[in-house]
Amino acid sequence: MTGAKTAVEWLASAAPDPEACRWEWERNPLGVALLPAGGAWDVLILPGDLGYATLDVLTRVLDRPGPVLVDFGDERIGFFVPPGTAARWLGTGIRTAGAGTWIVVPYPGRSSPGGVRWLIPPDGSGMLTDPTLLELAMHEAAARLATAQGD
């Protein structure tokens, strides 16, 4: 529980009003809150198939990447990266959430019924995925997917 508590504090610290964020997590039936991107982190959002393949590559080379979210249909996977990454990202087909945007964030350590969920929850340390490593993993994952599809 200590890890979840630390993760909660880390995530809530990104909110304009951390107490209101905690309140929202407790009272929202889906267990989610809206948090601003661009301050403590940005999020790179990949299509599901590429996102899962990229996460597979990343977890082979890293003990633990930064936090990773997935939407309810496994259609999109969001990797938490350092702030400012979204403004510099040029990848085609990759959506970004940076300064001026908000993301739906589930309470760490608690599953959300049919909604956004953590594939890799934050541990509270503030660790984020290195965008250069993420990009390299995406290239390798895309090549694997293309080979598997016979392209």
Side-chain angles (χ1 to χ4, degrees):
M1 243 354 211
T2 304
K5 181 78 167 162
T6 305
V8 168
E9 297 305 316
W10 179 72
L11 287 168
S13 71
D17 182 346
E19 263 321 298
C21 176
R22 287 192 224 35
W23 186 90
E24 183 69 19
W25 270 324
E26 292 301 320
R27 284 152 187 85
N28 184 311
L30 297 177
V32 298
L34 281 174
L35 290 178
W41 60 77
D42 284 356
V43 182
L44 297 182
I45 305 162
L46 285 59
D49 57 345
L50 178 59
Y52 274 110
T54 299
L55 183 57
D56 182 56
V57 172
L58 272 178
T59 56
R60 291 174 191 217
V61 296
L62 297 174
D63 280 341
R64 179 179 163 83
V68 180
L69 287 173
V70 63
D71 70 4
F72 63 91
D74 289 355
E75 295 295 321
R76 290 175 293 280
I77 297 178
F79 292 84
F80 280 49
V81 293
T85 302
R88 297 184 305 270
W89 195 261
L90 300 175
T92 303
I94 308 304
R95 295 168 54 188
T96 62
T101 62
W102 293 73
I103 61 168
V104 174
V105 178
Y107 186 92
R110 188 183 309 152
S111 59
S112 171
V116 175
R117 66 187 188 284
W118 292 106
L119 288 177
I120 299 181
D123 62 7
S125 71
M127 180 175 57
L128 302 167
T129 299
D130 179 280
T132 303
L133 287 176
L134 181 59
E135 183 177 12
L136 292 171
M138 285 171 40
H139 286 292
E140 184 174 330
R144 288 181 182 183
L145 289 171
T147 300
Q149 295 171 353
D151 291 340

